[in-house]
Amino acid sequence: MMTRSAAGPDPAEIYLDHAATTPVAPEAVAALGRGVALHGNPSSRHSAGQAAREAVDGARAAVARLLGCAHDGVVFTGGGSEAINLALLGTFAAAEWRGHLVTTRIEHAAVLGAAGAAATHGVAVTVVPPDPSGHVDPERIAEAIRPDTLLVSVMHANNETGAIQPVERITEIAHAAGALVHVDAVQTAGKLPIAPLRADLVSVSAHKFGGVKGVGALRVPAGHELTALIHGGGQESGYRAGTENVPGILAMAAAAEVAVTASADPVVRAHREHLRARLLAGLAELDGIRVHVDSRVMAETVSVAFPGVRGDTLADLLDLRGVHVSTGSACHAGSESPSHVLTAMGVPADLARSTARFSFGSTTTEQAVVAAAEVTVDSVRGLRRSWGATPAAVAVGAG
Amino acid sequence: MGRFSPTVVDHFTNPRNSGQVADASVRAFVGNPVCGDQILLTAAVADGVVTDIRFQAFGCSASLAVASLLTEVVKGKGLDEVAALDADRVVELAGGLTPDQRHVAGLAADVAHRLVDNFHQGVNDDDPISCGA
């Protein structure tokens, strides 16, 4: 059934997993090289060290523009998960583990894991479910906030479904109640504007917007009480010890400058919306598919259930045919448990397991998306034939 | 893809003998109908030999591949030979399976044995493959 010749054009290596990670931007590759050439330690007094320090300071200013804060409000970390852990655990550690945390069931494992760790220290945690639409109702957050709520942590957009959360309204509610707000902007940095966010703490990850893996940043407002998780030499204003990853930080800054420009470009935004429309139009040839979130959603992230097919099996087949997609969060790939995000939305387990995520980035072309849709349609039909699915059965399952 | 042997890739991407044998002599099903790996075999048997066989399967990539592989292996074989098939032999025929894939070899051996048992006992399994729809 499923030879490449039967599927039309060979889609050689169509990468549609940008929500997991995206190719390093050429500007970031160049910056990485400059960083590698700076052999001094930024903490050293000599001129080699000071050259590295100046480069890091320049990079900090660029990342500050991405985050919408003063340059001394940027704390570089070893990635998005570390930034998130620093935001949550650092805030509660500074409060001697007193107080209450509000978060949601659709957060990334980094937030949920940090919340669990905070709970073991005695922090009270309330986890708010989303609506079936995949969005968190701000009123549910309001109901969860208590007099002792110290922090509300909500993601800007969900990594699996792309659902954009009402973080500005949630921030208003939290601030009115005297609580701080952390926004996990790992998925949106470089795609949606994050500088205007009024949240106190904002976490990002470089490799999601064209930087390299292993570098992240946390926006920390002046005067915020935050205890370091990594102790040592006092780098990053004492919030994160360890010699700075100079090449990675320079690459992150270069990628941030490109991404800030692109995310503000209406032509780029229109192109991403067009890609989404073209993908969904192609997939619509299949019976019974369900798009999990199709309003208030990032154009770049398309989460689709294909009843009659297991998502992991479809992803394997697409991979063998040159199309790289995910079954959901890359962190969950390989897990047999259905997605905690889709489960929280009330999606039945069999539909959740039949889900694949397509995600776009700066290198995604319309031609690639159209070809990926064709290969997906052919692959789903082939897999459905393998177990004798009938269109009627598929349609019932999708209902 | 390094996760799969060339044989598994071949059968997964180009499955042989999918569907059901019309007027089958015997039907055998093994698997977890609650979203686990599932294989249904239908076969024609004449003079103790499997003359035709087809599969339907739902599950992971490796399970679909071994179901296809199984039909090629079993077709033309005597029921005694089919009954002697074990998981280790399926792993060997598949060109190797990783530890997280090896359960499908047991599934394939089980459904082959069930096919033989059902034929000897004159019973047939239903067609319970429904997961995902």
Side-chain angles (χ1 to χ4, degrees):
Chain A
M1 61 171 175
M2 292 170 271
T3 60
R4 289 191 179 202
S5 59
D10 182 350
E13 301 304 310
I14 295 174
Y15 185 82
L16 296 181
D17 199 16
H18 292 265
T21 194
T22 199
V24 180
E27 295 84 349
V29 173
L32 197 65
R34 290 196 298 275
V36 170
L38 290 166
H39 57 276
N41 185 322
S43 295
S44 295
R45 297 176 62 87
H46 50 64
S47 57
Q50 290 311 297
R53 166 59 54 206
E54 288 174 15
V56 169
D57 287 346
R60 196 180 304 280
V63 174
R65 285 191 288 277
L66 171 75
L67 287 169
C69 64
H71 73 277
D72 58 358
V74 176
V75 176
F76 288 118
T77 68
S81 289
E82 187 191 321
I84 289 166
N85 274 264
L86 179 59
L88 271 63
L89 297 178
T91 296
F92 279 98
E96 299 180 335
W97 305 108
R98 289 194 291 268
H100 175 231
L101 168 67
V102 176
T103 189
T104 84
R105 286 179 61 188
I106 59 172
E107 300 301 309
H108 187 273
V111 167
L112 296 175
T120 65
H121 287 283
V123 173
V125 178
T126 299
V127 185
V128 174
D131 288 344
S133 71
H135 302 91
V136 175
D137 182 347
E139 294 308 312
R140 300 293 293 270
I141 299 290
E143 292 164 9
I145 290 176
R146 315 188 315 201
D148 64 339
T149 300
L150 176 60
L151 184 67
V152 175
S153 183
V154 181
M155 64 199 335
H156 195 188
N158 185 264
N159 51 309
E160 295 187 28
T161 66
I164 298 170
Q165 304 303 321
V167 291
E168 288 301 87
R169 178 63 187 138
I170 288 169
T171 299
E172 286 176 6
I173 290 169
H175 283 172
L180 299 166
V181 176
H182 165 248
V183 168
D184 166 6
V186 166
Q187 280 300 320
T188 54
K191 302 186 184 78
L192 302 178
I194 62 170
L197 294 176
R198 288 174 291 169
D200 304 281
L201 300 153
V202 178
S203 48
V204 297
S205 175
H207 75 98
K208 303 290 191 182
F209 57 84
V212 296
K213 299 165 185 67
V215 189
L218 178 66
R219 180 174 103 186
V220 181
H224 182 77
E225 297 287 331
L226 193 71
T227 295
L229 303 182
I230 299 173
H231 303 279
Q235 289 89 349
E236 297 303 299
S237 304
Y239 290 135
R240 203 271 188 183
T243 301
E244 296 87 343
N245 176 357
V246 176
I249 287 170
L250 266 58
M252 181 184 196
E257 291 187 321
V258 174
V260 165
T261 303
S263 66
D265 186 341
V267 175
V268 172
R269 298 308 314 156
H271 180 61
R272 302 278 168 86
E273 296 286 354
H274 181 65
L275 293 178
R276 181 184 186 89
R278 288 303 305 264
L279 178 67
L280 291 175
L283 298 180
E285 291 188 26
L286 289 165
D287 296 313
I289 67 167
R290 174 191 285 192
V291 182
H292 289 299
V293 178
D294 207 20
S295 67
R296 291 181 287 157
V297 65
M298 292 176 69
E300 290 89 345
T301 305
V302 188
S303 177
V304 185
F306 299 93
V309 171
R310 262 182 35 175
D312 56 349
T313 306
L314 175 60
D316 284 347
L317 185 54
L318 292 178
D319 185 37
L320 290 167
R321 302 182 69 185
V323 179
H324 306 310
V325 304
S326 173
T327 51
S329 162
C331 307
H332 288 297
S335 168
E336 295 202 356
S337 301
S339 149
H340 76 280
V341 174
L342 299 178
T343 300
M345 291 165 57
V347 175
D350 56 351
L351 270 185
R353 286 194 184 90
S354 73
T355 296
R357 178 188 69 183
F358 305 76
S359 52
F360 313 141
S362 61
T363 57
T364 308
T365 65
E366 179 174 358
Q367 181 184 23
V369 166
V370 170
E374 289 176 1
V375 175
T376 302
V377 167
D378 187 65
S379 297
V380 168
R381 285 176 174 159
L383 289 169
R384 284 175 172 172
R385 278 196 299 272
S386 289
W387 67 275
T390 63
V394 168
V396 168
Chain B
M1 180 189 287
R3 290 195 298 123
F4 301 114
S5 73
T7 301
V8 169
V9 170
D10 179 27
H11 280 273
F12 178 47
T13 54
N14 295 288
R16 275 75 105 179
N17 306 313
S18 65
Q20 295 194 23
V21 172
D23 301 322
S25 311
V26 61
R27 303 160 58 87
F29 171 82
V30 165
N32 174 0
V34 186
C35 288
D37 297 315
Q38 305 166 60
I39 299 174
L40 175 74
L41 295 178
T42 57
V45 179
D47 299 326
V49 172
V50 177
T51 57
D52 195 10
I53 183 166
R54 290 186 173 274
F55 81 93
Q56 289 182 343
F58 181 90
C60 68
S61 311
S63 70
L64 270 58
V66 298
S68 167
L69 173 68
L70 185 65
T71 61
E72 284 204 329
V73 170
V74 166
K75 194 169 183 177
K77 294 286 196 306
L79 291 175
D80 290 348
E81 290 177 273
V82 176
L85 196 66
D86 63 17
D88 288 343
R89 178 64 178 146
V90 174
V91 172
E92 187 181 335
L93 291 166
L97 295 169
T98 61
D100 67 321
Q101 297 164 359
R102 288 182 73 91
H103 68 283
V104 306
L107 189 75
D110 287 349
V111 75
H113 299 164
R114 190 170 180 88
L115 186 82
V116 175
D117 291 345
N118 282 1
F119 181 79
H120 288 316
Q121 294 170 18
V123 298
N124 285 301
D125 292 326
D126 291 334
D127 182 359
I129 297 179
S130 60
C131 198

